[in-house]
Amino acid sequence: VGDLGQKIILYLNFVEKAQWKELGLQALPPGLMVVEEIISSEDEKMLLESVNWAEDIDDQNVQKSLKHRRVKHFGYEFHYENNNVDKDKPLPGGLPDIWDSILEKWLKEGFIKHKPDQLTVNQYEPGHGIPAHIDTHSAFEDEIVSLSLGSEIVMDFKHPDGVTVPVMLPRRSLLVMTGESRYLWTHGITPRKFDTVQASKGHKGGIITSDVGDLTLSKRGIRTSFTFRKVRQTPCNCSYPLVCDSQTKQTSPSLPGSAREASQLEREHVHRVYEEIAGHFSSTRHTPWPRVVDFLKALPSGSLVADVGCGNGKYLGINQDLY
Ligand SMILES: [Zn+2]
């Protein structure tokens, strides 16, 4: 029985032998670094207590209850409609003072090269996630860093060629994304309550290898991330024009002139989008729509049903008398 009291059916599938692609030599995405134990437990406690989630419940601009997590912005407001910031409208107050000495220390020790001017605080409860994305190039400079407090989590990095690298972000660690890992790879957190992590002690931050003998499950806790970015004042001129909004020509939409153009359009704006969001889409859709359930239950026993585009198959078990 699930959290909400509804009955959950667990299906157990197995194969005798799986084709296993050796990924022994996996490396972190270029430009990515995880600095462990960058903050003491005392500072962690103080920083977590410094976030006042209650104060701005009425202020829609500051406290946005995104479907899957709590968010607060400092320095500049981040707009989820266009994934960008209002560069002419910095928020009053800037970053909270509490961060001054910490950022200075990170600069001095070389973990960061630029002083950030925008902070986004996200709180993830177990089961929450964030869809895979690249931070908008034109909105922020190269260096993006994120401090994980309260609990560890696994973040998935994905290269456009399909390679996915799960990266463990331990509690009190700093994730530093620069270069290719910031501009070309997407990053996201799968909404789930457990992560697959390395079983061996001593291994903490960084890549989770696919060594099945050394994996175990870790129950997620409440993780609060503090992501620091520097707002970009000039267009991005990175070396990844294909994913760079500053370098993509803004052409007005036109009707495709040939079947080839049409199918290119479909590949780009339908297939590619679904490929990108499929994992997240599936893991957030398990509640059957009541109308569809009524329809399936109303069919005579022995009826044949084709569920075209059935996603994760959530309607398969609704009526046992259908084929
Ligand atoms: Zn760019």
Side-chain angles (χ1 to χ4, degrees), residues 248-284:
T248 315
K249 280 193 217 89
Q250 296 296 331
T251 48
S252 52
S254 62
L255 286 173
S258 66
R260 206 172 141 266
E261 264 182 60
S263 99
Q264 169 69 28
L265 208 65
E266 189 182 24
R267 257 202 311 279
E268 175 67 17
H269 295 288
V270 181
H271 296 188
R272 200 180 57 80
V273 171
Y274 275 104
E275 281 299 334
E276 228 161 74
I277 66 170
H280 193 265
F281 192 88
S282 168
S283 54
T284 49

Side-chain angles (χ1 to χ4, degrees), residues 137-138 183 232 236-238 240 243-247:
H137 288 203
S138 65
Y183 286 127
R232 187 188 284 280
C236 178
N237 59 354
C238 68
Y240 312 95
V243 286
C244 183
D245 62 310
S246 288
Q247 299 176 57

Side-chain angles (χ1 to χ4, degrees), residues 134-135 137 140-143 178-185 232 236 238-240 243:
I134 300 174
D135 288 59
H137 288 203
F140 303 108
E141 293 281 352
D142 184 1
E143 193 173 64
T178 61
E180 190 179 311
S181 67
R182 179 265 182 266
Y183 286 127
L184 185 63
W185 294 61
R232 187 188 284 280
C236 178
C238 68
S239 341
Y240 312 95
V243 286

